[in-house]
Amino acid sequence: MLSKDYSAEFKQRFADRYADGATIAMLQHEFGLTKSTVKLWRERIDQGGVGAIDRPRKNNRYPQEFKLRVVEAYLRGEGDYKALALEHGVRNSAQIRDWVKRYREGGTTPSSSARRGEGGRSPRARRRSSGGAPASRWRWRS
């Protein structure tokens, strides 16, 4: 599916209608957006205002100390994934979930299990490709 770039005015009108209490169906019809886009934009507006609608242009790289601080906050019960993502400025709460999982599986730091330059593929991709299926069929972790 191709993504579109929407003007700042379009996004502001969407945010205004959302603030006025328009339903998902109303927003879909009025703005010609899919249900998933409407839900995503509503969530982003709730998290950070109209400016949060824009897709990030590049991936963030977080230092190990930062990841560990966020994971420890989660383990201390200071918030759920979503709340901690908002508090610490992590774009996606699933990222924190992955850090917690790696921390629980591996010990002291929530580091990446397959770093770039060390084999090139994730352990999952290596398992999948070892069963006789061509390796090119599987996605590589970037």
Side-chain angles (χ1 to χ4, degrees), residues 43-87:
E43 183 177 314
R44 288 183 177 173
I45 289 169
D46 289 344
Q47 291 176 355
V50 179
I53 290 175
D54 290 326
R55 278 178 279 134
R57 299 295 179 209
K58 67 176 197 136
N59 291 335
N60 287 337
R61 295 202 177 240
Y62 301 101
Q64 290 299 320
E65 299 79 24
F66 175 81
K67 294 177 188 179
L68 188 57
R69 193 168 53 247
V70 174
V71 167
E72 288 174 342
Y74 174 79
L75 295 175
R76 284 191 303 269
E78 294 178 15
D80 61 9
Y81 298 132
K82 196 175 215 178
L84 289 170
L86 286 171
E87 180 182 335

Side-chain angles (χ1 to χ4, degrees), residues 29-47:
H29 178 72
E30 188 173 330
F31 292 93
L33 300 170
T34 64
K35 185 176 184 178
S36 61
T37 299
V38 169
K39 286 182 169 185
L40 177 67
W41 284 18
R42 286 174 21 141
E43 183 177 314
R44 288 183 177 173
I45 289 169
D46 289 344
Q47 291 176 355

Side-chain angles (χ1 to χ4, degrees), residues 115-126:
R115 293 189 181 135
R116 290 182 185 192
E118 295 180 18
R121 295 185 287 168
S122 69
R124 177 184 234 172
R126 283 193 294 273

